Amino acid sequence: MIFPLQAVRAVPHRTWLRYRFVFIVLAPIMALFFYLRILPTATAIVMSFFRWELIKPAEQFLGFDNYLNLLKDENFRLAFFNTTIFAVATTILSVFLALLLATLLARFVGGRIGAGIEILYFAPVLVSMVPVTLGWREIFNYQHGVLNAMLGGVGIGPQPWLSDQTMALVAVVILSVWKQLGYNLIILLVGMRAIPRIYQEAAAVDGASAWQQFRHITLPLLAPVTLFVIVITTISSYNVFTQVYVLASDVQGAPGKLVRVIVYDIFENGFRFFKMGYAAAEAVYLFLIVLVLTVIQFRFLRGART
Amino acid sequence: MRRERLVPNVVRWIVIALLIIGGLAMIFPLVWLVSTSLRPAPELLLVPPRLLPEHWTLDNYAKAFASAPLLLYLWNSFVFALVSTVFILLTSTVAGYIFAKFRFPGNNVLFMLVLATAIVPFEIYMVPLFLQVNALKLVNTQIGLFLPFLVLSYGIFFMRQNTMTSVPDELLDAARIDGMSETGIMLRFVPRLLAPAIAALAILAFIQAWTAFIWPLLILNKPALFPMELGLSQFANTRVDFGLTSAGAVVAMLPTLIAFLFLRRRIVEGITLTGLRG
């Protein structure tokens, strides 16, 4: 005998029983979630309007003073400048190279050779940041580093990779592009392989060159994935910290001080000077950047779908 | 006809050769690190440096293990990543299932809240979170270290989407008719249908905790509690002996590389599956 599903479900599971189950199961998770995510995020926003120190919370309401003072703060301006240069350079280079590699891999190489090559490019993604940064610290070393030795081989003098502010920023970009490239490559390859071959074959039959196929078929169809990769790389680049902390020590050996980035500045204001309200305002600025990038991504994706 | 096929073939092999050269350049820093760790002290200062050591030695490892508790750091990282993964899997699977399959007042509002926090990076709220953990007197404790890594907003979102696509209502109803309890369905029946998604999330969660840096740096100053990333950076910060720091770095990398050898496909799948959320 066949009952309509609705009827079967309605009898043993009365609504209030279901609510009780949902409540019992979900309440502890949401409590944890509230305490670990919502509360600190909301507090960060509240704190940003106060003079707030470790032992003196909510000392004085300041309105937008923290925000305005930050705009005049040399350290914050430098951090914002460095981080933006870093994020733009890392994103452009890692996405461009990943696109190039993905196109070549998808077009010319398949099977076991392709998989083998992918692993080589993917290896840096797997290993964690601190050990590889230590490896790069040796490579960038002024006197004994292998990079300066190689540059010497082609007639370029040794570069002060880890003692000059500009060169150190370049060094951090090189390391970060190297680390990010494989991730972007894998994501783009998945997107590229999802494009039905028939489009390219049809275009080839119509006499389109390889470049025209890439320009007019692959690139537009890949746009959402490319945009995703760009946004993810930019956001994670704005949050850069670990590699800078390990790589860019200043002359006194203070970690991360040579290339000041936003998260480092938050860290210093909050935990070295204990100006926590000030640090929170800085974090809100960082969040606004991330938010704008996220909104751009959603806008474009919606545009691409309709 | 024949010439037309021959030319692309040559091009193809040139491209492959270039890709392999580029790939070798990519793993060069890793190879270099291993090679440096196996050099005796005098060879570290050689200009120009050689790719492979002339006299191989394990001295650097002996010295590194003697001067820092590297194995303890690894163990700490492992426990940290494991606890975080178990909690994230449990909370994400359960909450994702509830959000996907139950209608109750507040479902949408709560889920939107989860979704909204998924885009807030950790760096934004780490200062207040530190104050909260400080108020609980959990600074410099393992629990304080674990706390922020017990839930993952994106994990809840990810499991909700996967529950919606791979757990049909009909199967749930069938299980109910068979007399399974709601708890049984949630903890035993549904996870079996979600195995690939759970594996992907597990990899994401494990890597996230294993590579965590800034939170351990804020919350811990007792070396006995350091996970590997923090321990290694402190170890290397005070030392300029490349042989020693390389040996430490190789010890830190080794577990990841071994895990990758065994779980290669799963890890790549997991990263693409959780990555392609756009």
Side-chain angles (χ1 to χ4, degrees):
Chain A
M1 208 158 57
I2 299 166
F3 292 108
L5 272 180
Q6 290 293 328
V8 177
R9 199 194 289 172
V11 183
H13 297 284
R14 304 264 292 276
T15 312
W16 67 269
L17 262 179
R18 209 172 62 211
Y19 285 169
R20 201 185 67 166
F21 176 73
V22 166
F23 182 80
I24 291 173
V25 169
L26 201 55
I29 297 176
M30 290 321 279
L32 204 55
F33 178 77
F34 178 83
Y35 184 74
L36 296 172
R37 292 291 182 275
I38 314 266
L39 183 61
T41 309
T43 313
I45 295 170
V46 173
M47 280 171 84
S48 71
F49 295 104
F50 282 87
R51 185 197 310 279
W52 193 304
E53 285 166 33
L54 183 60
I55 40 168
K56 287 182 274 187
E59 203 186 353
Q60 185 192 352
F61 181 75
L62 294 176
F64 281 94
D65 279 6
N66 283 333
Y67 290 92
L68 296 173
N69 289 336
L70 273 169
L71 295 179
K72 287 179 279 180
D73 181 336
E74 283 302 322
N75 280 338
F76 175 68
R77 286 160 73 146
L78 179 64
F80 180 78
F81 177 77
N82 280 342
T83 315
T84 303
I85 300 274
F86 169 79
V88 171
T90 305
T91 306
I92 290 178
L93 287 170
S94 70
V95 174
F96 172 77
L97 288 173
L99 258 178
L100 180 74
L101 290 165
T103 313
L104 292 177
L105 276 167
R107 198 179 164 82
F108 292 102
V109 202
R112 280 173 170 269
I113 302 178
I117 294 177
E118 277 169 42
I119 292 178
L120 294 179
Y121 287 91
F122 194 67
V125 179
L126 283 168
V127 284
S128 46
M129 193 53 104
V130 176
V132 298
T133 308
L134 293 179
W136 278 95
R137 200 174 73 168
E138 291 158 24
I139 291 172
F140 285 128
N141 184 273
Y142 185 75
Q143 285 164 307
H144 314 291
V146 66
L147 187 59
N148 275 345
M150 282 175 176
L151 289 176
V154 293
I156 301 174
Q159 302 295 316
W161 294 104
L162 300 179
S163 51
D164 175 77
Q165 284 191 7
T166 313
M167 291 312 285
L169 185 56
V170 174
V172 178
V173 169
I174 293 175
L175 154 64
S176 305
V177 169
W178 172 82
K179 188 85 171 69
Q180 180 75 26
L181 181 59
Y183 178 81
N184 292 355
L185 173 64
I186 293 279
I187 302 283
L188 286 170
L189 263 177
V190 172
M192 230 172 233
R193 289 187 175 136
I195 298 173
R197 281 201 83 85
I198 192 135
Y199 290 137
Q200 271 131 359
E201 280 161 16
V205 168
D206 288 344
S209 70
W211 166 249
Q212 282 171 324
Q213 285 176 38
F214 176 75
R215 173 74 191 77
H216 296 289
I217 294 170
T218 311
L219 216 49
L221 288 172
L222 202 63
V225 183
T226 314
L227 182 72
F228 167 77
V229 166
I230 290 175
V231 172
I232 283 291
T233 312
T234 319
I235 290 178
S236 70
S237 302
Y238 262 102
N239 291 308
V240 61
F241 180 74
T242 310
Q243 61 267 52
V244 179
Y245 187 84
V246 178
L247 196 63
S249 305
D250 70 356
V251 229
Q252 281 100 36
K257 212 158 189 180
L258 187 60
V259 178
R260 186 177 286 272
V261 291
I262 297 179
V263 175
Y264 177 84
D265 210 47
I266 297 176
F267 173 74
E268 194 183 63
N269 281 323
F271 296 97
R272 203 161 290 153
F273 306 143
F274 296 111
K275 300 195 307 191
M276 290 180 156
Y278 197 63
E282 208 170 348
V284 173
Y285 271 129
L286 179 59
F287 178 57
L288 289 178
I289 297 170
V290 171
L291 193 65
V292 167
L293 289 165
T294 312
V295 169
I296 290 176
Q297 185 189 11
F298 276 111
R299 272 284 153 77
F300 271 91
L301 282 183
R302 194 173 297 161
R305 279 196 192 121
T306 50
Chain B
M1 194 66 204
R2 203 187 225 174
R3 239 176 68 213
E4 264 177 25
R5 209 183 282 161
L6 199 68
V7 174
N9 232 343
V10 171
V11 173
R12 183 168 170 256
W13 283 111
I14 292 174
V15 169
I16 291 179
L18 288 175
L19 285 171
I20 291 177
I21 292 170
L24 293 177
M26 287 295 282
I27 59 163
F28 172 77
L30 304 178
V31 175
W32 188 253
L33 197 57
V34 176
S35 146
T36 308
S37 75
L38 296 169
R39 270 164 230 252
E43 285 188 45
L44 293 167
L45 305 177
L46 223 57
V47 180
R50 302 156 48 109
L51 179 60
L52 295 175
E54 203 168 347
H55 309 280
W56 301 67
T57 172
L58 287 172
D59 281 2
N60 293 318
Y61 287 89
K63 272 192 274 174
F65 279 114
S67 56
L70 296 177
L71 290 179
L72 178 66
Y73 294 161
L74 277 181
W75 172 250
N76 288 343
S77 278
F78 181 74
V79 172
F80 176 32
L82 194 69
V83 170
S84 166
T85 306
V86 168
F87 265 89
I88 286 176
L89 285 186
L90 190 70
T91 53
S92 302
T93 314
V94 167
Y97 167 66
I98 298 283
F99 281 128
K101 294 295 177 189
F102 288 82
R103 248 179 275 156
F104 56 93
N107 181 326
N108 279 332
V109 176
L110 283 178
F111 180 67
M112 278 316 198
L113 216 56
V114 172
L115 201 57
T117 57
I119 64 160
V120 183
F122 179 77
E123 288 78 3
I124 309 295
Y125 55 84
M126 64 183 182
V127 176
L129 193 62
F130 176 87
L131 293 176
Q132 283 172 229
V133 173
N134 187 40
L136 295 175
K137 304 245 181 301
L138 289 175
V139 172
N140 249 325
T141 64
Q142 262 184 316
I143 297 174
L145 173 68
F146 297 164
L147 261 179
F149 291 82
L150 300 184
V151 291
L152 180 65
S153 314
Y154 174 66
I156 298 178
F157 168 74
F158 181 73
M159 292 316 290
R160 174 182 178 265
Q161 302 307 95
N162 277 283
T163 308
M164 279 162 64
T165 53
S166 27
V167 181
D169 287 343
E170 291 75 16
L171 274 184
L172 294 177
D173 287 328
R176 284 181 185 125
I177 293 167
D178 282 352
M180 266 183 109
S181 71
E182 286 294 332
T183 321
I185 292 174
M186 181 177 73
L187 294 178
R188 282 200 295 274
F189 186 68
V190 172
R192 234 173 281 162
L193 298 170
L194 291 172
I198 289 176
L201 185 61
I203 285 163
L204 180 78
F206 198 91
I207 293 178
Q208 182 189 253
W210 185 271
T211 58
F213 185 74
I214 193 163
W215 180 250
L217 177 69
L218 293 183
I219 205 86
L220 302 176
N221 63 31
K222 249 191 242 154
L225 296 177
F226 284 176
M228 191 74 214
E229 290 286 285
L230 178 61
L232 182 65
S233 88
Q234 307 300 68
F235 166 71
N237 190 35
T238 51
R239 287 176 178 81
V240 282
D241 179 347
F242 283 168
L244 205 61
T245 53
S246 299
V250 172
V251 172
M253 282 182 347
L254 224 49
T256 332
L257 291 177
I258 291 170
F260 185 64
L261 281 183
F262 288 105
L263 298 166
R264 185 170 69 81
R265 184 156 297 181
R266 277 225 175 283
I267 290 178
V268 174
E269 270 173 15
I271 286 175
T272 48
L273 205 60
T274 49
L276 275 177
R277 54 190 151 175

